[in-house]
Amino acid sequence: MNNQLTVRQVVYTYLFISISPVLRQIPSALAMDAGKSGYLSPVWSVLLLIPLVYAILLLIRSFPGLNLYEVMVQLGGRVLAKLVIFLYMLWTLLLLSAKLNIYALTLQFTLMPKTGNGLFMQVMLILVFYALYKGGKAVFRFSELSLGPVFLVIAIFCVCALAKVRTDYLLPVTVLNLADTITASRHVLAAGGNIITALFFADRLEIYLSGRQVKKLWTGAASFIILSLIVTILTFGITGASLAAKLPFPFYITVKSISFFNIFERFEVIVTLICMLSDYAAICVMFLVLSRLIRWLFALSQERFLFVPLAVVVYYLSFFTSSTQFEHDFLYRNVIVNLNMVFQYFLPMFFGFICLFKRKNIRKPY
Amino acid sequence: MMIVFAVLLIASFIRNKETLFSKKRNMAVFVMLSAIGIALGIVDMIRPYIPSIAYAIEKYFK
């Protein structure tokens, strides 16, 4: 079976798994940290996202056919690589259990408030198993096929929402607010850093990346920034920053107030569906990444037999991670965002920096 | 749910027994992860309202 992935599939998966934090957490977090001017934060996040994409391309091009672990072994030795992989494993475990939790909390907030978390998580795990046993490529193909329709639906929301945007909710922005927008941009970066998925699956990409494929990666990063900017502007412009800061899912409330030329309504259910699909893809990808990390850490021959034990661990860990929306929001804003900055930006850019100096001296195994 | 997971673990063990027995490490990691999962499940069964990690961190920050 052909397990090779294309850059297009990786980029589409990156965008697809980033949709749910963009719709759910980012507007609320930006409103809380930066107030009315928070919609400028996606613009500032370009300053860190560009070096990250450059570092990823540098690592992939310098070590074609190698995955993140093999690249780290080449650059820093086996001991350092194992230590970093162990830390990545713990981080992915926390992220995965938090993601499972927020998916269940979203469904409770939007559709079924009286249904327990456990049932939602069990259904999700069944669907994740089905995808994982079909093979990892099925997840990337699903994201590749689903992204287009999802973007089309979001574009329709934007068109319908434009008439309801209030400029007094967005303006004026003063120079005094700019410092807050810069620090708040870490919430955008926490989701934008998902592009390092390319490094975890770099060994399944083609050996040589053409200019067109490199351009796709840059286009993906730009698309993420534009999506964050548009969603935040619409949320602030319709709902207002002060209300958005208090809500766990402000875009859902924003969409409640728009209609398709007064013909179709109740678009908020579609928003919940989009978030569910995005969470589903994200959980599948995180399972794949986690199983790969464990395989690299313990030098296992295969990772398929890890899915069931990992599912048991992640299921119960999600109950211990956070039990209410408030606890999850606290954990996300104070712990996960900061950890994401370390594991999605600092470490890959650190290894990219080492790669820059060691490029000529590296012995390649092929 | 513990019973379902236990059955799934046994089914996974039987389905992947060739891979698990081919290398000691495979079996060791499988058993370790299963033990951790079951232990978490038992803790959840005995004390379902144990303070969460988020609660503990929040308390530490304050």
Side-chain angles (χ1 to χ4, degrees):
Chain A
M1 187 182 164
N2 181 17
N3 281 325
Q4 202 169 46
L5 299 173
T6 62
V7 172
R8 179 190 149 111
Q9 285 170 340
V10 170
V11 169
Y12 277 37
T13 302
Y14 155 63
L15 287 171
F16 198 61
I17 68 177
S18 302
I19 284 175
S20 58
V22 167
L23 296 183
R24 195 167 43 208
Q25 278 116 340
I26 286 176
S28 175
L30 292 181
M32 193 174 263
D33 282 4
K36 194 159 65 167
S37 53
Y39 63 90
L40 294 175
S41 296
V43 178
W44 293 118
S45 62
V46 168
L47 296 173
L48 260 187
L49 205 52
I50 289 175
L52 176 66
V53 174
Y54 181 73
I56 289 169
L57 283 168
L58 179 67
L59 289 170
I60 291 176
R61 281 175 138 171
S62 301
F63 300 96
L66 299 188
N67 54 46
L68 180 63
Y69 170 66
E70 289 160 347
V71 168
M72 287 196 285
V73 167
Q74 292 279 325
L75 290 175
R78 198 171 292 271
V79 173
L80 179 66
K82 293 261 182 193
L83 176 66
V84 172
I85 290 295
F86 176 70
L87 294 174
Y88 264 109
M89 186 189 76
L90 294 177
W91 168 67
T92 310
L93 210 49
L94 176 68
L95 222 58
L96 184 48
S97 46
K99 180 63 87 170
L100 203 53
N101 212 331
I102 190 58
Y103 144 78
L105 287 169
T106 302
L107 280 178
Q108 280 186 329
F109 172 72
T110 56
L111 293 175
M112 291 172 263
K114 292 180 184 171
T115 310
N117 281 8
L119 179 65
F120 293 132
M121 291 186 205
Q122 287 153 28
V123 170
M124 175 58 83
L125 287 176
I126 291 168
L127 295 171
V128 167
F129 269 145
Y130 178 73
L132 295 179
Y133 274 105
K134 288 287 178 190
K137 192 165 177 176
V139 177
F140 289 90
R141 285 287 290 153
F142 168 72
S143 305
E144 191 183 8
L145 290 169
S146 309
L147 187 70
V150 166
F151 269 14
L152 178 65
V153 169
I154 292 176
I156 292 172
F157 288 158
C158 295
V159 167
C160 298
L162 278 174
K164 297 217 178 242
V165 170
R166 288 177 56 163
T167 50
D168 57 320
Y169 280 177
L170 299 170
L171 299 168
V173 173
T174 66
V175 174
L176 294 170
N177 302 125
L178 288 180
D180 290 335
T181 61
I182 293 171
T183 49
S185 63
R186 63 196 175 98
H187 296 290
V188 182
L189 291 168
N194 286 332
I195 201 162
I196 62 161
T197 309
L199 285 176
F200 290 107
F201 296 97
D203 55 336
R204 290 174 64 177
L205 295 173
E206 288 160 21
I207 291 288
Y208 172 71
L209 290 187
S210 64
R212 208 170 157 186
Q213 289 169 316
V214 167
K215 200 177 161 190
K216 281 193 178 113
L217 212 60
W218 288 109
T219 309
S223 303
F224 169 79
I225 297 292
I226 292 167
L227 179 68
S228 308
L229 192 61
I230 290 172
V231 167
T232 314
I233 286 173
L234 286 177
T235 307
F236 284 19
I238 295 172
T239 308
S242 51
L243 182 57
K246 294 178 175 73
L247 294 168
F249 196 172
F251 189 73
Y252 178 81
I253 304 301
T254 303
V255 170
K256 265 182 181 282
S257 63
I258 66 173
S259 64
F260 186 67
F261 299 109
N262 290 324
I263 301 170
F264 298 117
E265 299 169 288
R266 298 289 300 238
F267 284 129
E268 63 271 13
V269 183
I270 301 176
V271 170
T272 304
L273 178 64
I274 290 171
C275 280
M276 262 179 64
L277 292 173
S278 174
D279 287 338
Y280 169 62
I283 291 167
C284 289
V285 169
M286 282 186 209
F287 256 104
L288 287 169
V289 168
L290 186 57
S291 58
R292 293 201 118 205
L293 289 168
I294 293 174
R295 181 183 173 178
W296 295 335
L297 184 63
F298 295 105
L300 304 176
S301 58
Q302 221 193 79
E303 66 243 29
R304 278 174 72 96
F305 60 86
L306 295 172
F307 293 148
V308 174
L310 278 178
V312 180
V313 171
V314 167
Y315 176 79
Y316 287 112
L317 196 60
S318 62
F319 290 116
F320 295 123
T321 306
S322 56
S323 45
T324 65
Q325 183 75 52
F326 302 107
E327 285 183 3
H328 180 272
D329 286 345
F330 173 83
L331 185 74
Y332 182 81
R333 284 177 195 170
N334 294 285
V335 178
I336 290 177
V337 164
N338 296 320
L339 285 179
N340 281 10
M341 294 301 292
V342 172
F343 288 98
Q344 288 176 342
Y345 291 88
F346 175 70
L347 284 175
M349 286 203 272
F350 171 72
F351 283 105
F353 193 66
I354 297 177
C355 178
L356 213 53
F357 290 106
K358 278 183 123 182
R359 262 168 116 172
K360 289 174 188 168
N361 302 331
I362 293 162
R363 285 174 291 127
K364 293 181 186 175
Y366 41 82
Chain B
M1 197 62 203
M2 275 288 292
I3 299 169
V4 172
F5 277 137
V7 167
L8 280 173
L9 283 169
I10 293 167
S12 178
F13 177 82
I14 293 167
R15 192 177 168 160
N16 296 297
K17 63 175 184 243
E18 283 168 15
T19 313
L20 290 170
F21 283 120
S22 65
K23 240 177 145 181
K24 276 186 192 170
R25 271 183 210 205
N26 293 350
M27 178 67 91
V29 171
F30 182 87
V31 168
M32 180 183 73
L33 286 175
S34 303
I36 292 170
I38 290 170
L40 287 172
I42 291 169
V43 170
D44 185 56
M45 245 178 12
I46 296 169
R47 289 192 67 187
Y49 299 110
I50 197 169
S52 63
I53 295 170
Y55 178 81
I57 294 172
E58 198 174 0
K59 219 174 166 184
Y60 174 75
F61 277 163
K62 285 176 185 169

